[in-house]
Amino acid sequence: MATDWNALADTEFRALAARFFDEHCPRELRFTPRRLRWSVVQPWFLALSRQGWVAPSWPVEWGGMGLSPVKQVIYIEEYERSGAPVMQTQSLTNLGPILIARGSEAQRRKYLPKILSGEHVWVQGYSEPNAGSDLANLRTEARLEGDEFVINGQKIWTTMGFDGTHMFALVRTDRSVKKQAGISFVMFPMDQPGITVRPIRDISGAEEFCEVFLQDVRAHRSDLVGELNGGWEIAKTLLGFERVWSGSPRQSLIALARLEKVARANGSWEEGAFQDRYTQLVFDVQDLAAMYERLVRSLSVGKGFGLESSLLKMTATETCQRVTELLVEVAGADGALQGDVEIDGERIDVLTPFLESRGPTIYGGSNQIQRNILARQWLGLPG
Ligand SMILES: Cc1cc2nc3c(=O)[nH]c(=O)nc-3n(C[C@H](O)[C@H](O)[C@H](O)COP(=O)(O)OP(=O)(O)OC[C@H]3O[C@@H](n4cnc5c(N)ncnc54)[C@H](O)[C@@H]3O)c2cc1C
């Protein structure tokens, strides 16, 4: 029988989680500035899986931990404190919760266990050239032929597309109606003819995201999630607690610690001008941490996560950018070097966190789009 983690006292659960992450997560996977390949993180994923600790928010009946909101917060806090890598986000925090909320019983039975066992690695096929912020503009078309959809088109910015065994995608299934009304949500395996995955090199030199070309690709009709032409609503399914991860102050705190090390090593720490800017950033990160804490606590007492999620996303991503900007500036010539540099006997990567902090203001709805949402819905400004 599954352990009832919620029956443990919070302090006991916290100690248990801290110990588990600390003992089992390999040192070399911790506090890495960028996302790691599946082949690298898989052993850690499997260690979590064996413990039944892969999916803290999923219900127990679907193999999750079924944690109460308070216990989920503790899990996230201890996970982040350990520096363990975030992985399989599309499977665990996106598709899984969507299937649990909106999928059919057969889809849940077929796919959820394979996410938890690490057998399936899902990638997200939403964006297309000319369909990013204006996602409803997507043109990849799916035509129903018997029991199968035949899909043609192109996806882009598919994170870790080359690691994917499966894709969940938004496709156009009706051109004759309003844009949003003709979109469906389908799932298909990536190991079939007609799929070409081409990595795109980003500013840090990493090849994390991909273009994915789809030519006569097949998705079984039973792998349509929700109704035909009902994909827009599925994609907008509110994922509640899963979104908490993206507002965490973790990356800003890591960058702040690096900034202090670099500044102490090269003497900037003693300068008044630096101290002014550093102190302001410490306050900014504290503000972010307080906002994060407040929203997480309000979720944990059952309140919704409405427009504040836009505010949190903007604050978290822009704070991190400001810290990493000062980090690069203070590091001087070292700030222009890619990879680890030797600073006061320690190897520190200064440039990668700066480069890696660019993307988060774009994905998950760019910060400009978040500002539009706040302007319209909070301030009542014209759209
Ligand atoms: C690191 C990273 C990982 C990603 N992973 C995935 C993935 O796995 N799967 C996937 O499908 N997609 C992924 N994306 C794509 C992401 O969702 C899009 O980049 C995002 O939706 C923005 O779309 P776009 O790049 O086409 O920019 P555009 O929509 O062309 O926007 C360009 C600029 O114009 C601004 N802008 C656009 N419209 C407005 C407006 N109405 N008002 C004000 N400003 C506006 C934007 O804010 C932005 O600054 C990823 C992106 C990044 C950076």
Side-chain angles (χ1 to χ4, degrees), residues 2-7 13 52-53 55-69 71-72:
T3 312
D4 180 6
W5 305 108
N6 294 320
F13 179 69
W53 276 39
S57 67
W58 292 17
V60 174
E61 63 171 310
W62 293 115
M65 293 174 79
L67 295 185
S68 68
K71 290 283 194 308
Q72 287 183 48

Side-chain angles (χ1 to χ4, degrees), residues 123-125 127-129 140-141 150-158 161-162 167 169 171 188-200 209-218:
V123 295
Q124 183 198 47
S127 305
E128 297 182 7
T140 292
E141 195 166 27
V150 180
I151 304 168
N152 283 284
Q154 182 197 344
K155 295 293 173 182
I156 196 166
W157 314 125
T158 315
F162 33 69
M167 174 179 272
V171 291
F188 52 85
M190 298 275 283
D191 64 346
Q192 57 172 309
I195 299 187
T196 309
V197 179
R198 201 183 290 162
I200 303 172
F209 35 55
C210 305
E211 292 177 285
V212 180
F213 298 90
L214 307 167
Q215 193 182 359
D216 289 335
V217 166
R218 310 264 157 175

Side-chain angles (χ1 to χ4, degrees), residues 90 124-128 131-134 156-159 209 359 362-364 366 368-369 372:
Q90 294 301 349
Q124 183 198 47
Y126 285 7
S127 305
E128 297 182 7
S133 301
D134 186 9
I156 196 166
W157 314 125
T158 315
T159 300
F209 35 55
I362 302 170
Y363 62 65
S366 77
Q368 287 87 352
I369 296 297
N372 285 350

Side-chain angles (χ1 to χ4, degrees), residues 20 53 98 102 110 128 131 150 212 261 276 314 331 348 359 366:
F20 182 79
W53 276 39
I98 284 178
R102 311 289 296 267
K110 182 172 172 191
E128 297 182 7
V150 180
V212 180
K261 269 190 197 140
D276 275 355
M314 279 161 40
I348 300 181
S366 77

Side-chain angles (χ1 to χ4, degrees), residues 12-319:
E12 199 182 340
F13 179 69
R14 186 180 290 282
L16 195 75
R19 199 166 52 245
F20 182 79
F21 299 145
D22 198 50
E23 281 174 7
H24 292 88
C25 181
R27 299 274 143 200
E28 64 277 13
L29 300 189
R30 303 196 191 190
F31 297 107
T32 54
R34 68 163 60 119
R35 202 176 277 269
L36 300 166
R37 290 292 305 258
W38 173 236
S39 55
V40 177
V41 291
Q42 194 180 22
W44 166 230
F45 183 95
L46 294 179
L48 285 170
S49 179
R50 280 191 298 275
Q51 176 82 350
W53 276 39
V54 164
S57 67
W58 292 17
V60 174
E61 63 171 310
W62 293 115
M65 293 174 79
L67 295 185
S68 68
V70 171
K71 290 283 194 308
Q72 287 183 48
V73 174
I74 294 173
Y75 179 100
I76 293 174
E77 283 174 354
E78 292 310 318
Y79 195 93
E80 294 198 323
R81 205 187 312 278
S82 75
V86 174
M87 59 191 160
Q88 282 271 26
T89 46
Q90 294 301 349
S91 305
L92 292 169
T93 64
N94 209 339
L95 182 69
I98 284 178
L99 289 182
I100 290 167
R102 311 289 296 267
S104 67
E105 187 72 7
Q107 288 167 343
R108 292 184 200 127
R109 282 190 196 290
K110 182 172 172 191
Y111 290 121
L112 296 179
K114 293 194 170 166
I115 290 178
L116 295 176
S117 66
E119 207 175 319
H120 287 178
V121 178
W122 289 84
V123 295
Q124 183 198 47
Y126 285 7
S127 305
E128 297 182 7
N130 294 320
S133 301
D134 186 9
L135 186 57
N137 211 28
L138 62 91
R139 295 157 62 100
T140 292
E141 195 166 27
R143 207 178 53 250
L144 201 48
E145 277 184 15
D147 276 346
E148 287 184 325
F149 290 99
V150 180
I151 304 168
N152 283 284
Q154 182 197 344
K155 295 293 173 182
I156 196 166
W157 314 125
T158 315
T159 300
M160 299 296 192
F162 33 69
D163 276 343
T165 60
H166 291 71
M167 174 179 272
F168 60 96
L170 292 176
V171 291
R172 184 153 303 286
T173 37
D174 190 345
R175 291 201 175 279
S176 67
V177 292
K178 192 175 149 241
K179 284 194 292 189
Q180 285 83 350
I183 293 173
S184 298
F185 187 113
V186 294
M187 309 182 284
F188 52 85
M190 298 275 283
D191 64 346
Q192 57 172 309
I195 299 187
T196 309
V197 179
R198 201 183 290 162
I200 303 172
R201 182 159 299 176
D202 67 22
I203 43 169
S204 72
E207 293 183 341
E208 273 185 14
F209 35 55
C210 305
E211 292 177 285
V212 180
F213 298 90
L214 307 167
Q215 193 182 359
D216 289 335
V217 166
R218 310 264 157 175
H220 199 270
R221 193 184 173 129
S222 61
D223 287 333
L224 168 75
V225 181
E227 302 291 320
L228 187 66
N229 296 320
W232 192 248
E233 289 310 312
I234 302 284
K236 285 199 315 189
T237 301
L238 290 182
L239 299 178
F241 224 90
E242 285 71 26
R243 287 192 288 167
V244 168
W245 289 89
S246 65
S248 157
R250 174 191 182 204
Q251 292 302 338
S252 294
L253 286 166
I254 295 173
L256 208 54
R258 274 181 206 204
L259 175 58
E260 180 178 342
K261 269 190 197 140
V262 172
R264 283 188 187 278
N266 69 14
S268 310
W269 189 254
E270 312 302 329
E271 292 167 11
F274 171 80
Q275 281 292 336
D276 275 355
R277 293 172 71 190
Y278 177 79
T279 307
Q280 182 59 56
L281 288 173
V282 171
F283 288 150
D284 289 350
V285 177
Q286 284 176 356
D287 283 347
L288 165 64
M291 182 190 284
Y292 176 71
E293 185 94 345
R294 193 170 61 80
L295 290 180
V296 161
R297 298 286 161 201
S298 75
L299 268 187
S300 67
V301 293
K303 292 201 185 139
F305 205 55
L307 289 176
E308 286 99 339
S309 66
S310 295
L311 199 57
L312 181 65
K313 195 248 174 185
M314 279 161 40
T315 309
T317 54
E318 291 173 20
T319 301

Side-chain angles (χ1 to χ4, degrees), residues 330-370:
V330 163
D334 285 339
L337 298 175
Q338 192 108 47
D340 285 353
V341 287
E342 178 112 7
I343 295 177
D344 210 16
E346 210 179 321
R347 304 210 50 85
I348 300 181
D349 189 341
V350 175
L351 187 57
T352 307
F354 167 84
L355 298 173
E356 289 289 313
S357 72
R358 307 290 109 187
T361 58
I362 302 170
Y363 62 65
S366 77
N367 285 18
Q368 287 87 352
I369 296 297
Q370 305 299 334

